C-alpha cells in the first residue's frame, strides 16, 4: 500500500523467508535484514491468521540471526548509546541538540522540534522524572511504578497523573530512581542479549512489589509477553514468568469509583488502541469506560486498533513508510471530528502528535490518564513531584 509491493514484505513472505534462513537454505544478507526489519511487530497478522502463527516471534528470531549483517550503522549506534542504555547523559545530549539545532514547533498536540535532518521529534527533558520524584516515592511499597523511557523523559505529565490516580485508588507507588529501558527497542533490533540484561535490571528494581503498574502499553506488553522468552536458565525463566504476571496497565488498576465527572469537559474524544496495549495486554474497553465515566463523549474512528506507524525503531529505520502509516491514522482521527485523541501508549502519542503538529491541526493528543486526572478529585500534575 505504501511502497512497491513485495511478497517478502508480507507476513506470508516473511515466514517463508525466515524458514529458509533458519533451515540454511538462504544465506544471511543485507537484503534479508531489510525485509525482516520492515515489520511493526503490531501482531495484527497474528490476530488475523486462522492458526494464530506467532509471526512476531519468528521475526524476532530472524532479527537476532541477522544482527551482524550490514545496516545503517549511524542509526544503530545512536540506538545503542541513547535508547538501549537509557542513560541520563544520552538524553541530555539529545535534549541539547534539540534546543541548539532544532526549530521549536508548538501545537495543540504538544511541543516538538524540527531538527536539521528534516525530522520532527518530541521535546526531550534534560532530567528524567524518576530522578526528580519526591523522596516519599523512593520508599518501597507493594505497588511499583515502571515509567518507561518516553514517560520518564518526554511525557512527565503522564507520570504525574498516573501517580495521582494510583493514590486516589488507594495505592502509594514506589518509583525507583534509576529506571532503565524495558528492553523492547533492543529486542526489536535482534539484540536479545541486551534485552535480557535490561530485563534483569527491571526485575531487580521491583522484586518486592506485589503489583507493577505501567502507563505504557509497549513496555507492559514487553514485560508480560517477552521477558520469559529472553532467558535459557529455568530459574531465570521462572522468575520472569512470575514477574510478568504482576504487571498491569494503569487502566486496569484504577478503581471504577475513582474517576468522577470532569467539570466543563469540552470537545469530543476519539480513542486510539495501541497495538501492544490491545493485542499484547488485552486492554481496550476499560480505558473507554473510564473516559466515559469522566464525562467525555467518545466518537470511534474507523479501525481504532490500526497501528499508528511508530513501531519503535521502525520509525527510525523506515521513516517514509512509518510516516505514510501515521498519515492514514491521522486521516481517520480527523474524520471523526474529535478535538481530542486519547491513547494508552506514549509511543503512539509521539507518532500521532508529530504528524498532527506537522499538519498544523488543532487536535490535542493526550494519554488516557491526562483526561481522567482532570476529573473527580485528582490534582494537577506538578503537585506530585
Amino acid at each position: 500500500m505504501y511502497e512497491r509491493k513485495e511478497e517478502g514484505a508480507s507476513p506470508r513472505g516473511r515466514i517463508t523467508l525466515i524458514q529458509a534462513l533458519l533451515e540454511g537454505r538462504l544465506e544471511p544478507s543485507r537484503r534479508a535484514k531489510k525485509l525482516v526489519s520492515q515489520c511493526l511487530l503490531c501482531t495484527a497478522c497474528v490476530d488475523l491468521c486462522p492458526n494464530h502463527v506467532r509471526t512476531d516471534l519468528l521475526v524476532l528470531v530472524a532479527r537476532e540471526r541477522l544482527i551482524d549483517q550490514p545496516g545503517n550503522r549511524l542509526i544503530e549506534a545512536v540506538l545503542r548509546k541513547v535508547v538501549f542504555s537509557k542513560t541520563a547523559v544520552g538524553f541530555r545530549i539529545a535534549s541539547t541538540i534539540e534546543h541548539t539545532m532544532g526549530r521549536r514547533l508548538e501545537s495543540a498536540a504538544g511541543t516538538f522540534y524540527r531538527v536539521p535532518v528534516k525530522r520532527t521529534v518530541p521535546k526531550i527533558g534534560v532530567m528524567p522524572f524518576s530522578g526528580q520524584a519526591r523522596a516519599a516515592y523512593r520508599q518501597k511499597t507493594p505497588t511499583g511504578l515502571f515509567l518507561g523511557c518516553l514517560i520518564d523523559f518526554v511525557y512527565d505529565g503522564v507520570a504525574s497523573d498516573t501517580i495521582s490516580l494510583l493514590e486516589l485508588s488507594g495505592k502509594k507507588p514506589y518509583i525507583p530512581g534509576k529506571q532503565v529501558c524495558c528492553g523492547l527497542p533492543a529486542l526489536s533490533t535482534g539484540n536479545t542479549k541486551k534485552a535480557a540484561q535490561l530485563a534483569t535490571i527491571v526485575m531487580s528494581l521491583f522484586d518486592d512489589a506485589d503489583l507493577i503498574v505501567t502507563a505504557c502499553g509497549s513496555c507492559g506488553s514487553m514485560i508480560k509477553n517477552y521477558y520469559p522468552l529472553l532467558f535459557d536458565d529455568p530459574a531465570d525463566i521462572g522468575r520472569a514468568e512470575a514477574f510478568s504476571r504482576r504487571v498491569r496497565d494503569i487502566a486496569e488498576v484504577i478503581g471504577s469509583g475513582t474517576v468522577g465527572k470532569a467539570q466543563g469537559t469540552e470537545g469530543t474524544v476519539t480513542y486510539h488502541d495501541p497495538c501492544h496495549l490491545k493485542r499484547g495486554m488485552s486492554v481496550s474497553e476499560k480505558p473507554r469506560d473510564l473516559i466515559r465515566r469522566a464525562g467525555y463523549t467518545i466518537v470511534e474512528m474507523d479501525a481504532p486498533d490500526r497501528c499508528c506507524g511508530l513501531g519503535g525503531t521502525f520509525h527510525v529505520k523506515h521513516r517514509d513508510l512509518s510516516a505514510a502509516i501515521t498519515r492514514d491514522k491521522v486521516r481517520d482521527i480527523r474524520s471523526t471530528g474529535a478535538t481530542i485523541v486519547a491513547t494508552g501508549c506514549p509511543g503512539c502519542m509521539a507518532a500521532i502528535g508529530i504528524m498532527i503538529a506537522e499538519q498544523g491541526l488543532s487536535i490535542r493528543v493526550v494519554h488516557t490518564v491526562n483526561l481522567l486526572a482532570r476529573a473527580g478529585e485528582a490534582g494537577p500534575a506538578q503537585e506530585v513531584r
Side-chain angles (χ1 to χ4, degrees), residues 356-369:
I356 285 176
E358 289 183 346
Q359 293 184 10
L361 304 175
S362 298
I363 301 174
R364 289 172 56 207
V365 181
V366 299
H367 194 286
T368 304
V369 299

PDB file of all heavy atoms in Angstrom, residues 356-369:
ATOM      1  N   ILE A 356       0.298  15.425  13.632  1.00  0.00           N
ATOM      2  CA  ILE A 356      -0.695  16.475  13.826  1.00  0.00           C
ATOM      3  C   ILE A 356      -0.024  17.839  13.877  1.00  0.00           C
ATOM      4  O   ILE A 356      -0.514  18.816  13.302  1.00  0.00           O
ATOM      5  CB  ILE A 356      -1.509  16.204  15.106  1.00  0.00           C
ATOM      6  CG1 ILE A 356      -2.511  15.073  14.844  1.00  0.00           C
ATOM      7  CG2 ILE A 356      -2.230  17.462  15.578  1.00  0.00           C
ATOM      8  CD1 ILE A 356      -3.307  14.666  16.059  1.00  0.00           C
ATOM      9  N   ALA A 357       1.128  17.914  14.546  1.00  0.00           N
ATOM     10  CA  ALA A 357       1.869  19.178  14.611  1.00  0.00           C
ATOM     11  C   ALA A 357       2.358  19.593  13.228  1.00  0.00           C
ATOM     12  O   ALA A 357       2.263  20.772  12.852  1.00  0.00           O
ATOM     13  CB  ALA A 357       3.046  19.040  15.576  1.00  0.00           C
ATOM     14  N   GLU A 358       2.877  18.633  12.459  1.00  0.00           N
ATOM     15  CA  GLU A 358       3.383  18.949  11.121  1.00  0.00           C
ATOM     16  C   GLU A 358       2.259  19.411  10.190  1.00  0.00           C
ATOM     17  O   GLU A 358       2.476  20.228   9.298  1.00  0.00           O
ATOM     18  CB  GLU A 358       4.092  17.731  10.535  1.00  0.00           C
ATOM     19  CG  GLU A 358       5.415  17.417  11.218  1.00  0.00           C
ATOM     20  CD  GLU A 358       6.142  16.244  10.579  1.00  0.00           C
ATOM     21  OE1 GLU A 358       5.511  15.511   9.787  1.00  0.00           O
ATOM     22  OE2 GLU A 358       7.341  16.064  10.875  1.00  0.00           O
ATOM     23  N   GLN A 359       1.054  18.894  10.401  1.00  0.00           N
ATOM     24  CA  GLN A 359      -0.079  19.288   9.567  1.00  0.00           C
ATOM     25  C   GLN A 359      -0.792  20.528  10.098  1.00  0.00           C
ATOM     26  O   GLN A 359      -1.721  21.030   9.468  1.00  0.00           O
ATOM     27  CB  GLN A 359      -1.070  18.123   9.457  1.00  0.00           C
ATOM     28  CG  GLN A 359      -0.517  16.927   8.692  1.00  0.00           C
ATOM     29  CD  GLN A 359      -1.543  15.819   8.500  1.00  0.00           C
ATOM     30  OE1 GLN A 359      -2.736  15.991   8.764  1.00  0.00           O
ATOM     31  NE2 GLN A 359      -1.088  14.668   8.022  1.00  0.00           N
ATOM     32  N   GLY A 360      -0.372  21.015  11.259  1.00  0.00           N
ATOM     33  CA  GLY A 360      -0.949  22.230  11.822  1.00  0.00           C
ATOM     34  C   GLY A 360      -2.389  22.079  12.259  1.00  0.00           C
ATOM     35  O   GLY A 360      -3.174  23.033  12.179  1.00  0.00           O
ATOM     36  N   LEU A 361      -2.766  20.909  12.753  1.00  0.00           N
ATOM     37  CA  LEU A 361      -4.146  20.642  13.151  1.00  0.00           C
ATOM     38  C   LEU A 361      -4.374  21.016  14.619  1.00  0.00           C
ATOM     39  O   LEU A 361      -3.474  20.917  15.441  1.00  0.00           O
ATOM     40  CB  LEU A 361      -4.473  19.163  12.953  1.00  0.00           C
ATOM     41  CG  LEU A 361      -4.249  18.602  11.547  1.00  0.00           C
ATOM     42  CD1 LEU A 361      -4.505  17.106  11.530  1.00  0.00           C
ATOM     43  CD2 LEU A 361      -5.154  19.318  10.545  1.00  0.00           C
ATOM     44  N   SER A 362      -5.586  21.435  14.924  1.00  0.00           N
ATOM     45  CA  SER A 362      -5.934  21.809  16.301  1.00  0.00           C
ATOM     46  C   SER A 362      -6.568  20.625  17.021  1.00  0.00           C
ATOM     47  O   SER A 362      -7.727  20.662  17.437  1.00  0.00           O
ATOM     48  CB  SER A 362      -6.883  23.008  16.293  1.00  0.00           C
ATOM     49  OG  SER A 362      -6.269  24.133  15.715  1.00  0.00           O
ATOM     50  N   ILE A 363      -5.808  19.583  17.141  1.00  0.00           N
ATOM     51  CA  ILE A 363      -6.267  18.376  17.819  1.00  0.00           C
ATOM     52  C   ILE A 363      -5.284  18.056  18.934  1.00  0.00           C
ATOM     53  O   ILE A 363      -4.081  17.972  18.699  1.00  0.00           O
ATOM     54  CB  ILE A 363      -6.357  17.174  16.852  1.00  0.00           C
ATOM     55  CG1 ILE A 363      -7.320  17.471  15.699  1.00  0.00           C
ATOM     56  CG2 ILE A 363      -6.797  15.917  17.601  1.00  0.00           C
ATOM     57  CD1 ILE A 363      -7.350  16.384  14.642  1.00  0.00           C
ATOM     58  N   ARG A 364      -5.798  17.897  20.147  1.00  0.00           N
ATOM     59  CA  ARG A 364      -4.942  17.559  21.280  1.00  0.00           C
ATOM     60  C   ARG A 364      -4.690  16.063  21.301  1.00  0.00           C
ATOM     61  O   ARG A 364      -5.579  15.264  21.023  1.00  0.00           O
ATOM     62  CB  ARG A 364      -5.603  17.971  22.592  1.00  0.00           C
ATOM     63  CG  ARG A 364      -5.679  19.467  22.840  1.00  0.00           C
ATOM     64  CD  ARG A 364      -6.517  19.750  24.064  1.00  0.00           C
ATOM     65  NE  ARG A 364      -6.002  19.029  25.233  1.00  0.00           N
ATOM     66  CZ  ARG A 364      -6.773  18.655  26.263  1.00  0.00           C
ATOM     67  NH1 ARG A 364      -8.067  18.898  26.254  1.00  0.00           N
ATOM     68  NH2 ARG A 364      -6.235  18.031  27.289  1.00  0.00           N
ATOM     69  N   VAL A 365      -3.471  15.683  21.644  1.00  0.00           N
ATOM     70  CA  VAL A 365      -3.117  14.276  21.805  1.00  0.00           C
ATOM     71  C   VAL A 365      -2.776  14.068  23.268  1.00  0.00           C
ATOM     72  O   VAL A 365      -1.856  14.701  23.794  1.00  0.00           O
ATOM     73  CB  VAL A 365      -1.910  13.892  20.921  1.00  0.00           C
ATOM     74  CG1 VAL A 365      -1.590  12.413  21.090  1.00  0.00           C
ATOM     75  CG2 VAL A 365      -2.195  14.200  19.464  1.00  0.00           C
ATOM     76  N   VAL A 366      -3.530  13.209  23.935  1.00  0.00           N
ATOM     77  CA  VAL A 366      -3.343  13.027  25.369  1.00  0.00           C
ATOM     78  C   VAL A 366      -3.331  11.547  25.724  1.00  0.00           C
ATOM     79  O   VAL A 366      -3.836  10.702  24.981  1.00  0.00           O
ATOM     80  CB  VAL A 366      -4.461  13.721  26.185  1.00  0.00           C
ATOM     81  CG1 VAL A 366      -4.477  15.212  25.922  1.00  0.00           C
ATOM     82  CG2 VAL A 366      -5.824  13.103  25.869  1.00  0.00           C
ATOM     83  N   HIS A 367      -2.751  11.263  26.863  1.00  0.00           N
ATOM     84  CA  HIS A 367      -2.832   9.915  27.425  1.00  0.00           C
ATOM     85  C   HIS A 367      -4.169   9.821  28.176  1.00  0.00           C
ATOM     86  O   HIS A 367      -4.677  10.818  28.689  1.00  0.00           O
ATOM     87  CB  HIS A 367      -1.673   9.678  28.387  1.00  0.00           C
ATOM     88  CG  HIS A 367      -1.466   8.245  28.757  1.00  0.00           C
ATOM     89  ND1 HIS A 367      -2.299   7.565  29.621  1.00  0.00           N
ATOM     90  CD2 HIS A 367      -0.504   7.344  28.387  1.00  0.00           C
ATOM     91  CE1 HIS A 367      -1.877   6.321  29.766  1.00  0.00           C
ATOM     92  NE2 HIS A 367      -0.784   6.163  29.024  1.00  0.00           N
ATOM     93  N   THR A 368      -4.706   8.633  28.261  1.00  0.00           N
ATOM     94  CA  THR A 368      -5.960   8.435  28.984  1.00  0.00           C
ATOM     95  C   THR A 368      -5.895   9.019  30.386  1.00  0.00           C
ATOM     96  O   THR A 368      -6.853   9.654  30.848  1.00  0.00           O
ATOM     97  CB  THR A 368      -6.291   6.932  29.074  1.00  0.00           C
ATOM     98  OG1 THR A 368      -6.336   6.376  27.757  1.00  0.00           O
ATOM     99  CG2 THR A 368      -7.633   6.709  29.757  1.00  0.00           C
ATOM    100  N   VAL A 369      -4.768   8.841  31.070  1.00  0.00           N
ATOM    101  CA  VAL A 369      -4.668   9.334  32.450  1.00  0.00           C
ATOM    102  C   VAL A 369      -4.752  10.853  32.517  1.00  0.00           C
ATOM    103  O   VAL A 369      -5.186  11.402  33.538  1.00  0.00           O
ATOM    104  CB  VAL A 369      -3.376   8.845  33.146  1.00  0.00           C
ATOM    105  CG1 VAL A 369      -3.337   7.333  33.220  1.00  0.00           C
ATOM    106  CG2 VAL A 369      -2.129   9.398  32.479  1.00  0.00           C
TER     107      VAL A 369
END
